[in-house]
Amino acid sequence: MNVGFIGLGNMGTGMAANLLRAGHHVTVYNRTPGRVRPLVEEGAHPAARVRDTCGGDAVITMLADDAAVESVVFGHEGVIDVLRDGAVHVSMSTISVALSERLATAHANARQRFVAAPVFGRPEAAVARKLFIVAAGAPDVVDACRPLFDAMGQQTFPVGDEPKTANLVKLSGNFLIASVIEALGEALALVGKAGIDGRRYLDLLTSTLFTAPLYKNYGRQIVEQRFEPAGFAAPLGEKDIRLTLAAAEALRVPMPLASLLRDRFLTLLARGGEALDWSAIGQLAAKDAGLGDPPAGSETEQEHGNG
Ligand SMILES: NC(=O)c1ccc[n+]([C@@H]2O[C@H](COP(=O)([O-])OP(=O)(O)OC[C@H]3O[C@@H](n4cnc5c(N)ncnc54)[C@H](OP(=O)(O)O)[C@@H]3O)[C@@H](O)[C@H]2O)c1
């Protein structure tokens, strides 16, 4: 297919490269132009403006958040203004349910088609064509996008005719993952403070009751305190929990655990965690428990007094 790709960040770079490898004709745009070059070396056509990505069958957006998608779609010479009649906008970012609804209406009014197709999987999965794609939109439009999804992911799950359904499913999934990270952090703080080796504890639990890769991978990151470089940055994690709560509020669904997670992310960001991976909320329970802090009455306090 002849496709435009907008947003060459941690995820988009690998996804666009896989479209090229599958033989699609890909035109790439990124706000920061330097990120275009490696893909051009792999055969992509560079676009200097958003509008130059919109001449084909479809345009894919893989941008950070609602504000980024709004500026690219509704801004000057944005996707809405220039995408041809009948062409598809495939929005793969994790955005709000409300923006997805707004996009569906705006594209329909402009006689364009719209599919929401957010993904599960980290940048390594994007490179390895291992993403799970959650797609929603008119069934014929989702079908028309199949060759693109097959090039980027290992499996595509159509979840409904209304695009916003896919965004809600994606947000709920990230809420679950963040809950796992928080739970792992608390359990590891508990056993850690009692002097139990975190690695051996994790081996025990992830080879018996909790065998999902999620527990293994995030558990290891927390035990090893390995939060840089960020594959999924903490501000994006905070964004997803905020959007989960907004969707929950609109549907009148109390989610006390999501409220707690939101505060965890705010704590992480307030303490300078902007550049860390979102799994760094998993170290907060240990910090709350005083692990890693100098003991009370230690040298520093005695030497410098309490002034
Ligand atoms: N990373 C993951 O593990 C993961 C997994 C699943 C889903 N997601 C979702 O996928 C999306 C992309 O994530 P990512 O990790 O690739 O993010 P990222 O590395 O931060 O990349 C964000 C992209 O958005 C662009 N951008 C940001 N603000 C913009 C604006 N106002 N106007 C135009 N472009 C703008 C950035 O351009 P510049 O290069 O100019 O900054 C960059 O291309 C997010 O919605 C995220 O929640 C991420």
Side-chain angles (χ1 to χ4, degrees):
M1 290 171 71
N2 183 357
V3 59
F5 199 104
I6 303 176
L8 303 172
N10 287 334
M11 296 294 287
T13 300
M15 292 162 71
N18 282 326
L19 287 169
L20 285 166
R21 274 171 218 138
H24 297 289
H25 179 284
V26 187
T27 304
V28 290
Y29 169 85
N30 195 64
R31 179 182 61 177
T32 307
R35 286 179 147 175
V36 164
R37 200 174 315 120
L39 285 154
V40 170
E41 281 162 15
E42 291 196 50
H45 299 262
R49 302 169 301 176
V50 167
R51 66 168 303 133
D52 301 327
T53 62
C54 291
D57 310 304
V59 63
I60 295 172
T61 49
M62 192 50 173
L63 296 156
D65 53 18
D66 279 27
V69 174
E70 279 171 334
S71 84
V72 158
V73 174
F74 298 115
H76 175 64
E77 295 192 328
V79 175
I80 283 283
D81 287 340
V82 297
L83 193 63
R84 66 171 174 75
D85 281 13
V88 192
H89 171 201
V90 186
S91 166
M92 304 192 75
S93 320
T94 309
I95 56 168
S96 69
V97 171
L99 178 57
S100 189
E101 266 186 300
R102 185 178 164 212
L103 288 167
T105 304
H107 283 299
N109 289 342
R111 292 187 302 280
Q112 300 151 350
R113 303 188 291 171
F114 178 61
V115 166
V119 303
F120 286 111
R122 295 187 42 109
E124 310 81 72
V127 168
R129 204 173 66 83
K130 289 273 170 62
L131 295 173
F132 294 110
I133 299 173
V134 183
D140 60 319
V141 188
V142 173
D143 279 349
C145 296
R146 277 277 176 185
L148 303 176
F149 297 151
D150 291 346
M152 292 183 282
Q154 59 174 303
Q155 210 171 337
T156 299
F157 300 86
V159 291
D161 295 358
E162 286 190 279
K164 67 177 179 183
T165 313
N167 301 99
L168 186 66
V169 170
K170 167 62 191 170
L171 288 171
S172 72
N174 271 22
F175 157 71
L176 273 174
I177 300 172
S179 307
V180 166
I181 295 170
E182 171 64 20
L184 279 166
E186 292 186 22
L188 284 163
L190 177 68
V191 298
K193 187 117 191 229
I196 296 166
D197 181 70
R199 281 188 180 77
R200 292 181 63 189
Y201 170 80
L202 208 57
D203 280 348
L204 187 168
L205 283 167
T206 58
S207 60
T208 52
L209 301 176
F210 298 93
T211 52
L214 203 71
Y215 287 99
K216 290 183 188 169
N217 296 337
Y218 281 119
R220 202 177 311 127
Q221 267 182 264
I222 295 168
V223 167
E224 292 173 6
Q225 301 275 298
R226 195 165 31 81
F227 306 117
E228 285 177 290
F232 184 54
L236 294 180
E238 186 276 331
K239 176 250 314 174
D240 287 359
I241 298 304
R242 178 166 33 86
L243 298 184
T244 302
L245 283 167
E249 185 169 344
L251 290 165
R252 295 282 182 268
V253 179
M255 294 181 73
L257 197 44
S259 299
L260 178 149
L261 288 167
R262 179 173 173 279
D263 277 350
R264 278 310 212 197
F265 278 109
L266 289 183
T267 300
L268 180 64
L269 296 176
R271 290 185 186 169
E274 295 270 336
L276 301 181
D277 193 75
W278 75 324
S279 53
I281 60 160
Q283 69 181 343
L284 296 177
K287 286 195 193 301
D288 288 351
L291 285 171
D293 289 346
S298 70
E299 204 182 307
T300 321
E301 248 179 301
Q302 284 165 7
E303 272 178 15
H304 303 294
N306 59 10

